Structure formats: structure tokens, C-alpha cells
Amino acid sequence: MTKEEEKKEEEPGLTDIPGIGPGIASKLEAAGVYDLMGLAVMSPSDLAEMAGVGAAVARKAIQAARNMMKLGFSDGIEYDNRRKDVHYITTGSKAFNDLLGGKGVESRSITEAYGAFGSGKTQLGLTLAVNVQLPKEKGGSNGKAVYIDTEGTFRPERIRQIAQAMGANPEKVLKNILVARAFNSDHQILLVDRIAEMIKEGEPIKIVIIDSLTAHFRAEFAGRGQLADRQQRLNRYLHNLMKLAEKSNVAIYVTNQVMANPAMMFGDPTTAIGGNIVGHASTYRIYLRRGKQGSRVAKMIDSPNLPDNEAVFYVTEAGVTDQT
Ligand code: GTP
Ligand code: MG
């Protein structure tokens, strides 16, 4: 079997459905239907309209998608067992961990930090890349980190410092961080597939850090009228990230810039890039800002199960901590 065939066998896509060729598949993708699940939950009339196919073809396609998906229920025990594999990575600050539900950044989910420059987004990423390597009882996941660096801000020196501060061997810690520089958004997108492969090959990757999620997308789709394209690509990318988080049981931490929101008259007039698309895809969304006396403040923005609290933390030579 070639590699291509192998991939196909494992994970059927839209074009594996009878009646759906690449042309229709791209129409569906443009409308936000990326995979069999998306297709399986559609109504035949919506599909017919969206894809420009007859009602009978649409009905058959949806049925085929449902069969291939084995749409069904898992019982409570099965569901609970899946949740039991969830692991956590400490941020380095107890207050910050508490904000995230007690143990830090969670696997099978996307945690997004957005905030102004210098607010600590990258420092948190670097700290997580070290902390993931800790044993479970010390707040880590006993695994490796992948660091996708879009801005050239990954600093081995910082990793060494943070590792040293916790008494770990800096060179060993650096070796367990797989860094890739993404030069544009296409490259950034491709790297996600590569991570899934590495995990399959046995790399014990437990966290994927993307710093920054949005910078390339923002720069490449800067023109007027390109916003819809940008959002669509970003949406698709986030969808792939979520799939990676779910399937490989990894934590995903992404950083995001802010832009001034002139429409807002009170409070902090900043909004995350990518808006609702990123907001909806992120399981935990955190806003970081500078606080009093060199502190930082993290605020939970939306989460499915946690209150919108704030936590005060610090960035020091040792990375993210509770104290100066
Ligand atoms: P952008 O990427 O520019 O949007 O910002 P960011 O949110 O990623 O900022 P980053 O995480 O890089 O935070 C930079 C800040 O962290 C610096 O201004 C310092 O205040 C702090 N910092 C970075 N390294 C150290 C260090 O070694 N010691 C201390 N005390 N602070 C540090
Ligand atoms: Mg940064």
C-alpha cells in the first residue's frame, strides 16, 4: 500500500462518498462542511442546494456518510473512559491553573491566549513546552512538545533558563521540544498533518504550541474583500487542529494577537484577531494583559464549564510563576 492509500483507508473523506468528486467537495468545504460528520448531519435538500446536485444523489451521499461514520451513541461508561485519558499541563502558576479548572492546560482541547504584545503569550508557550515534560505527579504529561513558531520568537536560551530553574537538564529539555518555523499559512497548515504522522510513528507528543495562530493569516489576507477567505481558511485550520487534539489526545495551545476595537467605548478596547471563528473553535479562551507592579492578569473569556474569573501571575526567569 502506498502512503496515500494508507491514509485513505484510515480516514475516509468527502470524496470517498459516491457522487462526491473534488468539485463538489470544494463547494462543501467552502460552505463549512469538511468531513463525513459534517455531511452526515446535513439534510438532503440543503446538500442538494449547496452542492448543486439532484435530491436522489444528495440523499444517497448523506446515507453513505452516515454508514461510514457509524453514527451512534457511546454509553456513559465509554464516554467517561474517554474523558479519563485527558491529561493536563501546569502553567507554572497555581492561580493560572485554577483559572483553567485546577490543573492547567487540558488535552483534547484548544486553549487560546490573546493579548497585546508583551502580555506573556509566548512566555506561557515556552513554559508549557518545558512543563509538559514533567512527570504527571508534578503537573506534566511526561511527554514532548511541538512548537510551531510563525514569528521567529522561539528562544532556546529561554527554554534553558526555565529548565534550569526547575532543576532539569536544559539540553535534555530542549531535545524534547520539536520546533518548526512556519514560513506562511500554507506551511503552517501542512505542519499539522506532519504532527499527526509523528504521533502515529510513536513520538510521545503531548502538547502542540502554535505561536502565533493568526499572524500569517492576518498578513496574507490583509486586503479589503479578503476577510471572508481568511476566515474560511482559518476555520478549516482550526477544525483540523481540533481533530488532532481529539484523535491524538494532545493539548493545543495557540496565541493570538489583538486589534483595537474603535467601536468599544468602555473597558479594554481590544478584540482578538479572527473573531468568532477562533473564539468558537477554542475550548478555553484567555485574555492576557499586564497588571500592577509587573504582574500579569489572565482572564477566562469563555469556557464550556468554568466561570469567567481572573488570575494574577508573573513572568520571571523561571517562566510563568505565582511570584516575582
Ligand atoms: P507578542 O508576541 O509581541 O504579541 O507578545 P507576547 O504576549 O508573546 O509577549 P511575551 O510572552 O514574549 O512577553 C514578553 C515579556 O515577558 C517581556 O516584556 C518581559 O516582561 C517578560 N520576560 C520575558 N523573558 C523574561 C525573563 O527572562 N525574565 C523576566 N523577568 N521577564 C521576562
Ligand atoms: Mg509572542
Side-chain angles (χ1 to χ4, degrees):
M1 231 190 307
T2 68
K3 225 170 177 185
E4 206 42 50
E5 282 166 345
E6 209 173 278
K7 210 169 169 185
K8 241 188 181 159
E9 178 150 295
E10 258 166 40
E11 197 186 311
L14 289 175
T15 52
D16 294 312
I17 299 289
I20 297 190
I24 293 180
S26 63
K27 274 189 205 162
L28 290 175
E29 284 177 11
V33 179
Y34 307 108
D35 55 14
L36 295 186
M37 178 56 103
L39 188 58
V41 299
M42 284 184 86
S43 75
S45 57
D46 283 349
L47 177 60
E49 189 180 325
M50 202 181 270
V53 297
V57 172
R59 216 174 309 113
K60 259 194 201 151
I62 290 168
Q63 200 51 52
R66 288 183 183 170
N67 291 340
M68 280 164 99
M69 289 286 308
K70 301 188 190 76
L71 261 190
F73 293 94
S74 54
D75 61 44
I77 305 266
E78 214 178 300
Y79 182 84
D80 193 42
N81 280 340
R82 257 168 62 76
R83 289 303 300 172
K84 273 193 193 125
D85 309 336
V86 167
H87 55 85
Y88 300 87
I89 299 138
T90 175
T91 60
S93 150
K94 182 169 185 310
F96 205 149
N97 288 352
D98 285 345
L99 186 75
L100 290 166
K103 299 185 205 159
V105 169
E106 182 182 298
S107 73
R108 288 197 209 282
S109 59
I110 299 178
T111 302
E112 173 204 358
Y114 72 95
F117 62 90
S119 58
K121 305 180 295 289
T122 295
Q123 298 303 315
L124 176 57
L126 297 169
T127 306
L128 289 168
V130 175
N131 288 354
V132 69
Q133 303 180 38
L134 288 165
K136 293 220 157 117
E137 62 278 10
K138 292 203 166 150
S141 290
N142 199 17
K144 294 189 182 184
V146 162
Y147 202 106
I148 298 182
D149 180 12
T150 70
E151 312 194 288
T153 51
F154 180 80
R155 290 281 172 274
E157 263 325 295
R158 272 302 276 149
I159 296 289
R160 286 197 182 93
Q161 279 181 339
I162 297 169
Q164 220 141 27
M166 65 169 61
N169 177 326
E171 303 313 308
K172 275 194 187 153
V173 168
L174 263 179
K175 223 174 149 54
N176 285 331
I177 304 174
L178 309 165
V179 187
R181 179 80 200 269
F183 293 98
N184 54 46
S185 66
D186 284 326
H187 188 196
Q188 191 178 332
I189 289 166
L190 281 175
L191 285 168
V192 173
D193 292 340
R194 182 62 198 123
I195 296 166
E197 278 170 29
M198 288 194 297
I199 293 172
K200 227 176 278 163
E201 287 160 14
E203 284 285 11
I205 294 163
K206 300 293 180 190
I207 189 168
V208 174
I209 295 148
I210 303 174
D211 185 18
S212 120
L213 173 74
T214 45
H216 281 317
F217 290 88
R218 186 188 196 185
E220 290 164 28
F221 295 84
R224 292 182 80 189
Q226 284 184 296
L227 189 65
D229 280 349
R230 183 189 83 184
Q231 291 302 79
Q232 191 191 314
R233 264 169 79 81
L234 200 50
N235 191 16
R236 165 143 222 213
Y237 181 55
L238 282 157
H239 184 86
N240 288 341
L241 285 177
M242 198 59 224
K243 222 154 82 180
L244 175 70
E246 270 289 340
K247 278 184 66 175
S248 307
N249 192 21
V250 294
I252 297 192
Y253 169 73
V254 303
T255 70
N256 194 3
Q257 272 81 16
V258 291
M259 57 188 174
N261 180 355
M264 196 165 153
M265 312 266 260
F266 301 101
D268 206 341
T270 48
T271 317
I273 303 296
N276 286 336
I277 295 261
V278 180
H280 286 148
S282 309
T283 325
Y284 299 103
R285 175 163 243 209
I286 290 153
Y287 177 53
L288 298 184
R289 62 182 158 85
R290 285 172 185 274
K292 286 179 198 142
Q293 282 145 12
S295 68
R296 318 265 155 173
V297 181
K299 181 177 186 353
M300 178 62 74
I301 301 295
D302 356 76
S303 119
N305 52 348
L306 298 171
D308 288 1
N309 288 339
E310 288 193 344
V312 175
F313 67 99
Y314 292 84
V315 176
T316 70
E317 214 174 282
V320 168
T321 63
D322 277 316
Q323 278 133 27
T324 41

